[in-house]
């Protein structure tokens, strides 16, 4: 089968074209660096099937980043039958810089001049016939987004395969032309493939080339002795880059013609005006915070647009109807996210009831053992339902985020926040994964691949779980409700909000400490081109969403399903394999493990001081490792052990009822409760996140990351417990924090001094 490779700059539309050509559903993003591995698909509309590879976006073939190495090696080693070089027509010159390098490899190339629709909108036209002639390659105008002309790219490419192509270079006639020819001859002498390409790289003093052919370096060294450029001295890499750009501006820039000056001006002005507001020094961050709040409001609010008061009078009229549960939560209209949540919840719980009824019948007739229906209904189905019930909200959240991303706004936010992030040793790029963490840590972890700097990536990965994800929200709301009822302090929003802030502050402090101790290093520069604003596309947004939903459902039916079964067994069987009733869970295997671990949590306020009940919180936290949704569900089951009566967490207000029972039954203090929430928020995240993290890090770094999470959660929770229970300890903590900050400052100074020397 023939192989075609899609090669181009980041954000030029490769993945969009790939998806159109292969009917695939890879993630498209208006955010440079979205495709981080190569992807393969099949194109079927020609007489034979063609395999198409989507390579990561690159600006050049020099190995600066791992993406550039992947793409370069693919082109040189796998020898695609044709390269489809995608060019963002709105950034012609910069994109052609890569093309001038591709020319030096002897592989057929077709140029797909993409974003023609956008170019038209800007009132610009490119003289295609002349471009083809000057560059010596076929050029096809396309719009990957509008699926315009994409098949003719494939036809042209297919025709090129049989013709083949000799390598060529725009550097032949430059001051280095002779040297390049000499080195090329030397490469030909040792029978290396693509001698021209390797020759130029060697002249550039490319590290890979030097280490592969050290004996040819002499030719370049010799030439340097009698050479001196006014501007660049003997820096051949700079001279070559300069020559490429000179060639491009001289030959290709004139091919861009403004055909509609009016449109051109208006377009530029509009974008400029929008940017002036959105990236404004003062207004930028507040605007972003408002937008962020709107997103969370649309997804999670139970008092949508704060309209609750308006309907206070009319609300009783639909009390007791279907509507009440669906769109009305005491005192407010539900947001779209919550409505979808309720809808799915109603469906699944009636489904579970039906199954429970059916199994109950079988049990009575003696067809099955009692434990079967317990396992199926309480274990498997309840577990799956509680996880899947979050799917609607996660999808709404992702939908809104992907609209923001696709429009080009997110790239601007990263730009605004860069200055702030820099103070903590991160660049603006780290912002995206963090914000995604509020939804779900799994995609957030994957997104850290766009961070080219290893240290920055590691630091970001470690703090992502502190950005409290959607699944941790029920823990917050249930316990906050319980606190309000038992201790009569605070308010639900205040406690919830406070805990989100605790998470973020922990993240900031942790990054600061790590970046000045274990993972020191320069904050990488933040260079990201601001993509054009454009209307988010329905198709790519849906592809994006489907991808997320698929991932989540897969997770629910694999890792979470398996773990709920295991937990159910551990909490319903004693060490001698006796089936236990719900209220006897303290005798279960899990209960006894909890009791064993209980003393460890004494400094956190939910350990041995709770006497015979410390284990219940420990067990709840352990089940949270599987999925954070489990914590509240476990509360319901454990409340039964304490009072002998099972609390139905599914019923409205049931989760808070469970929390109240846990609080009054165990006698836990306010400080202990707050510490418990903080512990769940900052400790090792759910299995799915841990598995993703493992895939992103080397083994050693991964193990240390687990340790880091455990240690952080113990420190943060202990501090909260002590501060609330024994107020005088705050003074000691303040002194300690000041000392740590001073120590960090001191060590940074030393490093700077060393550098200065
Ligand atoms: P990649 O980084 O090269 O894989 O680029 P993507 O395929 O992820 O696309 C980057 C952005 O450009 C996305 O927002 C796309 O919707 C947008 N895009 C891609 N092709 C076109 C096009 O033909 N016209 C317009 N206006 N936008 C496009
Ligand atoms: Mg891509």
């Amino acid at each position: 089968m023939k192989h075609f490779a899609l090669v181009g700059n980041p954000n030029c539309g490769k993945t969009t074209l790939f998806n159109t050509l292969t009917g695939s559903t890879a993630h498209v993003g208006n955010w440079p660096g979205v495709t981080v591995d190569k992807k393969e698909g099949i194109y079927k509309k020609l007489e034979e099937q063609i395999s198409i590879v989507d390579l990561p976006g690159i600006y050049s073939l020099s190995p600066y980043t791992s993406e550039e190495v992947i793409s370069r090696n693919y082109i040189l080693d796998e020898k695609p039958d044709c390269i489809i070089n995608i060019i963002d027509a709105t950034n012609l010159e910069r994109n052609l810089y890569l093309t001038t390098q591709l020319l030096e490899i002897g592989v057929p190339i077709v140029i797909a001049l993409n974003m023609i629709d956008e170019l038209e909108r800007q009132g610009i036209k490119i003289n295609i016939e002349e471009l083809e002639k000057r560059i010596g390659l076929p050029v096809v105008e396309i719009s990957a987004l509008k699926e315009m002309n994409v098949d003719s790219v494939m036809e042209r490419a297919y025709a090129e395969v049989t013709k083949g192509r000799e390598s060529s270079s725009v550097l032949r006639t430059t001051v280095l032309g002779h040297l390049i020819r000499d080195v090329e001859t030397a490469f030909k002498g040792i029978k290396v493939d693509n001698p021209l390409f390797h020759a130029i790289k060697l002249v550039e003093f490319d590290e890979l080339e030097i280490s592969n052919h050290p004996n040819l370096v002499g030719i370049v060294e010799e030439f340097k002795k009698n050479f001196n450029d006014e501007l660049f001295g003997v820096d051949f890499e700079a001279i070559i880059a300069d020559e490429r750009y000179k060639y491009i501006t001289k030959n290709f820039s004139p091919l861009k013609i403004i055909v509609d000056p009016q449109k051109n001006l208006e377009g530029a002005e509009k974008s400029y005006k929008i940017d002036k507001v959105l990236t404004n020094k003062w207004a930028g961050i507040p605007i972003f915070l408002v937008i962020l709040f709107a997103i969370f409001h649309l997804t999670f609010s139970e008092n949508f647009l704060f309209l609750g008061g308006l309907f206070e009078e009319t609300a009783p009229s639909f009390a007791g109807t279907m509507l009440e549960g669906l769109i009305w939560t005491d005192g407010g209209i539900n947001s779209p996210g919550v409505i979808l949540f309720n809808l799915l919840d109603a469906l699944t719980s009636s489904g579970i009831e039906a199954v429970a009824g059916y199994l109950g019948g079988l049990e009575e007739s003696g067809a099955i053992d009692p434990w079967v229906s317990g396992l199926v209904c309480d274990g498997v189905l309840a577990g799956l339902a509680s996880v899947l019930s979050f799917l609607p909200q996660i999808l709404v959240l992702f939908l809104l985020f992907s609209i923001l991303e696709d429009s080009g706004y997110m790239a601007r936010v990263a730009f605004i926040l860069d200055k702030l992030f820099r103070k903590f040793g991160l660049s603006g790029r780290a912002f995206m994964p963090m914000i995604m963490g509020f939804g779900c840590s799994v995609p957030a972890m994957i997104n850290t691949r766009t961070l080219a700097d290893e240290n920055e990536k590691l630091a970001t990965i470690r703090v992502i779980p502190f950005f409290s994800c959607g699944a941790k929200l029920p823990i917050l709301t249930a316990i906050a409700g319980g606190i309000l009822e038992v201790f009569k302090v605070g308010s639900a929003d205040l406690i919830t909000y406070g805990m989100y802030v605790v998470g973020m502050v922990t993240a900031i402090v942790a990054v600061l400490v790590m970046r000045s101790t274990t993972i020191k290093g320069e904050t990488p520069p933040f260079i990201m081109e601001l993509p054009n604003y454009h209307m988010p596309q329905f198709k790519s947004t849906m592809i994006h969403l489907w991808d997320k939903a698929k991932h989540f459902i897969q997770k629910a039916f694999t890792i979470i399903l398996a773990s709920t079964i295991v937990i159910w067994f551990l909490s319903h069987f004693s060490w001698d394999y006796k089936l236990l009733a719900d209220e006897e869970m303290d005798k279960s295997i899990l209960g006894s493990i909890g009791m064993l671990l209980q003393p460890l949590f004494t400094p956190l306020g939910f350990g041995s001081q709770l006497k015979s009940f410390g284990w219940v919180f420990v067990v709840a936290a352990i089940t949270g490792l599987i999925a954070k949704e489990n914590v509240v569900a476990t509360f319901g089951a454990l409340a039964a052990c304490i009072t002998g009566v099972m609390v139905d967490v599914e019923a409205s207000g049931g989760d808070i009822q469970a929390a109240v029972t846990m609080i009054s039954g165990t006698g836990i203090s306010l400080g202990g409760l707050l510490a418990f929430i903080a512990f769940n928020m900052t400790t090792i995240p759910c299995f799915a996140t841990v598995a993703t993290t493992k895939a992103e890090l080397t083994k050693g770094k991964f193990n240390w990351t687990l340790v880091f999470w455990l240690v952080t959660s113990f420190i943060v929770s202990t501090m909260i417990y002590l501060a609330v229970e024994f107020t005088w300890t705050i003074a000691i903590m303040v002194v300690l924090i000041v000392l740590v900050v001073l120590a960090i400052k001191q060590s940074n100074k030393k490093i700077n001094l060393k550098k200065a020397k």
Side-chain angles (χ1 to χ4, degrees):
M1 187 160 34
K2 295 200 167 52
H3 294 260
F4 291 3
L6 301 181
V7 180
N9 284 185
N11 221 33
C12 69
K14 290 177 302 301
T15 305
T16 311
L17 182 62
F18 176 80
N19 287 345
T20 314
L21 292 177
T22 63
S24 174
T25 57
H27 179 178
V28 173
N30 203 358
W31 178 273
V34 168
T35 309
V36 274
D37 296 317
K38 48 179 198 253
K39 287 197 196 70
E40 219 167 334
I42 306 282
Y43 180 76
K44 296 178 182 149
K45 291 195 198 157
L46 289 170
E47 55 207 77
E48 63 177 306
Q49 295 197 342
I50 308 279
S51 146
I52 298 182
V53 178
D54 180 23
L55 294 173
I58 50 172
Y59 292 112
S60 82
L61 292 172
S62 307
Y64 289 120
T65 66
S66 56
E67 283 104 70
E68 282 171 348
V69 177
I70 294 180
S71 298
R72 169 176 166 159
N73 288 350
Y74 185 86
I75 298 169
L76 290 177
D77 303 338
E78 311 280 319
K79 301 194 181 63
D81 296 289
C82 186
I83 290 176
I84 297 177
N85 177 205
I86 305 181
I87 284 183
D88 171 359
T90 63
N91 274 309
L92 186 68
E93 286 90 346
R94 199 204 57 218
N95 280 256
L96 283 171
Y97 182 73
L98 176 66
T99 312
T100 62
Q101 298 180 51
L102 293 173
L103 282 173
E104 289 152 8
I105 302 174
V107 176
I109 303 175
V110 168
I111 290 183
L113 197 61
N114 193 25
M115 313 237 184
I116 285 301
D117 58 315
E118 175 64 26
L119 201 69
E120 221 164 86
R121 224 173 47 87
Q122 296 180 2
I124 301 177
K125 213 171 157 25
I126 293 174
N127 182 342
I128 302 296
E129 292 76 36
E130 200 52 37
L131 179 60
E132 277 194 330
K133 222 185 278 166
R134 292 190 188 180
I135 205 159
L137 299 173
V139 178
V140 186
E141 287 179 291
I142 68 163
S143 165
L145 196 67
K146 306 243 144 76
E147 305 190 7
M148 185 193 99
N149 258 354
V150 292
D151 291 318
S152 51
V153 174
M154 291 302 288
E155 282 155 24
R156 293 290 286 272
Y158 194 64
E160 286 305 300
V161 174
T162 39
K163 286 189 214 156
R165 209 189 109 254
E166 287 291 314
S167 57
S168 62
S169 174
V170 302
L171 303 168
R172 291 272 191 221
T173 53
T174 64
V175 281
L176 295 177
H178 279 295
L179 172 62
I180 291 172
R181 193 144 314 170
D182 289 347
V183 182
E184 186 187 0
T185 315
F187 269 108
K188 276 184 185 152
I190 54 171
K191 300 231 175 334
V192 169
D193 266 352
N194 287 308
L196 178 60
F197 174 82
H198 290 290
I200 291 169
K201 286 292 161 217
L202 191 73
V203 171
E204 280 181 353
F205 256 62
D206 171 299
E207 279 167 31
L208 280 180
E209 217 57 63
I210 290 178
S211 63
N212 288 344
H213 305 283
N215 48 338
L216 296 182
V217 179
I219 309 175
V220 185
E221 299 279 16
E222 192 60 34
F223 188 86
K224 271 190 182 169
K225 283 186 191 147
N226 304 311
F227 187 91
N228 192 23
D229 183 78
E230 264 175 37
L231 209 54
F232 301 107
V234 289
D235 184 349
F236 287 173
E237 191 182 358
I239 294 177
I240 286 180
D242 185 55
E243 289 293 350
R244 289 191 201 279
Y245 271 118
K246 269 200 227 148
Y247 188 89
I248 291 168
T249 19
K250 180 159 163 255
N251 292 287
F252 303 125
S253 294
L255 302 182
K256 269 192 320 197
I257 312 145
I258 297 178
V259 284
D260 188 340
Q262 189 63 27
K263 250 193 197 168
N264 187 262
L265 206 66
E266 271 169 17
E269 246 173 28
K270 204 159 128 201
S271 165
Y272 174 75
K273 272 189 192 145
I274 298 176
D275 268 343
K276 216 171 148 188
V277 178
L278 291 184
T279 62
N280 181 283
K281 208 162 107 196
W282 305 109
I285 292 182
I287 289 178
F288 170 61
L289 289 178
V290 170
I291 291 179
L292 203 60
F293 173 76
I295 287 185
F296 278 87
H297 189 70
L298 272 164
T299 316
F300 294 112
S301 173
E302 296 185 341
N303 188 3
F304 189 49
L305 299 178
F306 309 104
L307 289 174
L310 281 181
F311 293 88
E312 205 69 68
E313 301 285 299
T314 44
S317 67
F318 53 75
T321 64
M322 262 274 290
L323 279 184
E324 189 185 10
L326 212 54
I327 62 166
W328 184 264
T329 307
D330 22 78
I333 306 244
N334 289 331
S335 64
V338 177
I339 293 178
L340 290 174
F341 174 88
N342 290 339
L343 201 61
L344 187 74
D345 199 43
L347 287 177
T348 49
S349 47
S350 55
I352 293 179
E353 256 169 49
V355 176
Y358 176 70
L359 290 178
L362 287 183
E363 200 180 306
E364 262 167 37
S365 67
I368 52 170
D369 281 341
W371 64 269
V372 175
S373 77
L375 171 64
V376 173
C377 298
D378 303 342
V380 174
L381 292 181
L384 279 183
S386 74
V387 176
L388 287 180
S389 67
F390 286 94
L391 184 62
Q393 278 170 318
I394 289 177
L395 288 186
V396 171
L397 200 66
F398 274 131
L399 173 72
L400 297 172
F401 272 126
S402 75
I403 289 175
L404 278 197
E405 187 193 324
D406 205 23
S407 69
Y409 178 62
M410 281 302 197
R412 267 109 184 144
V413 177
F415 170 75
I416 306 169
L417 289 180
D418 182 58
K419 223 164 139 192
L420 189 70
F421 273 36
R422 217 148 265 287
K423 296 206 168 88
F424 305 107
L426 295 179
S427 74
R429 248 174 212 279
F431 148 76
M432 183 70 167
M434 287 182 184
I435 209 72
M436 289 176 89
F438 280 126
C440 174
S441 301
V442 171
M445 293 289 179
I446 296 173
N447 194 274
T448 58
R449 288 184 202 166
T450 57
L451 304 173
D453 182 83
E454 279 302 312
N455 288 334
E456 186 182 26
K457 178 175 171 177
L458 181 61
T460 309
I461 281 185
R462 287 186 176 167
V463 299
I464 281 174
F466 304 159
F467 293 83
S468 187
C469 75
K472 290 176 184 170
L473 199 65
I475 309 179
L476 286 175
T477 47
I479 299 183
I483 289 177
L484 195 59
E485 228 178 289
V486 179
F487 296 100
K488 310 267 182 270
V489 289
S491 75
D493 338 2
L494 204 68
I495 297 172
T496 316
Y497 179 74
M499 282 296 155
Y500 268 93
V501 173
V502 165
M504 287 188 274
V505 170
T506 309
I508 291 173
V509 175
V511 166
L512 199 63
V513 171
M514 282 189 286
R515 292 298 268 155
S516 42
T517 54
T518 51
I519 28 182
K520 273 188 221 155
E522 302 256 322
T523 307
F526 179 57
I527 310 165
M528 186 162 91
E529 107 201 47
L530 293 183
N532 292 322
Y533 282 113
H534 70 87
M535 277 310 266
Q537 289 294 307
F538 181 76
K539 192 178 158 201
S540 73
T541 314
M542 286 305 131
I543 286 177
H544 197 157
L545 270 192
W546 168 236
D547 225 36
K548 290 280 155 2
K550 207 170 62 184
H551 178 86
F552 193 77
I553 293 170
Q554 269 167 1
K555 185 179 116 187
F557 279 95
T558 50
I559 187 163
I560 294 178
L561 179 60
S563 60
T564 28
I565 295 176
V566 171
I567 287 282
W568 189 86
F569 269 111
L570 292 181
S571 58
H572 284 81
F573 280 89
S574 58
W575 287 101
D576 50 1
Y577 302 119
K578 262 218 319 269
L579 178 67
L580 302 168
D582 282 330
E583 56 277 6
E584 299 175 306
M585 222 185 266
D586 51 334
K587 302 188 187 68
S588 67
I589 299 176
L590 196 61
S592 62
I593 294 176
M595 274 180 223
L596 199 70
L597 295 177
Q598 172 176 329
L600 287 179
F601 294 86
T602 309
L604 285 64
F606 49 97
S608 303
Q609 60 269 72
L610 302 182
K611 311 255 165 31
S612 59
F613 285 126
W615 64 274
V616 293
F617 288 98
V618 180
V619 167
I622 293 176
T623 59
L625 292 182
I626 290 159
K628 296 291 167 187
E629 294 89 337
N630 282 346
V631 174
V632 173
T634 311
F635 266 20
L638 292 178
C641 303
I642 297 171
T643 58
V645 190
M646 182 92 178
V647 175
D648 182 10
V649 282
E650 296 287 311
S652 96
D655 47 355
I656 295 180
Q657 206 45 52
V660 169
T661 314
M662 291 283 278
I663 297 168
S664 41
T666 58
I668 188 171
S669 65
L670 180 61
L673 272 175
L674 293 177
F676 177 74
I677 305 181
F679 182 78
N680 280 289
M681 285 185 42
T682 52
T683 196
I684 298 179
C686 67
F687 275 1
T689 305
V690 171
T692 319
T693 311
K694 193 167 175 207
E696 293 300 323
L697 295 178
T698 60
K699 196 151 189 233
K701 279 183 183 159
F702 170 70
N703 290 341
W704 278 113
T705 301
L706 291 181
V707 174
F708 166 80
W709 282 330
L710 263 184
V711 171
T712 309
S713 58
F714 270 89
I715 294 177
V716 172
S717 311
T718 305
M719 280 170 73
I720 289 180
Y721 174 60
L722 291 178
V724 177
E725 292 303 307
F726 312 98
T727 343
W728 54 269
T729 56
I730 295 178
I732 299 179
M733 285 188 244
V734 170
V735 172
L736 276 179
I737 291 170
V738 170
L739 283 181
V740 169
V741 171
L742 284 181
I744 288 174
K745 279 219 164 130
Q746 197 59 35
S747 79
N748 280 354
K749 244 188 227 155
K750 263 189 208 152
I751 295 171
N752 286 341
L753 269 180
K754 250 190 219 157
K755 259 190 226 145
K757 271 179 195 163

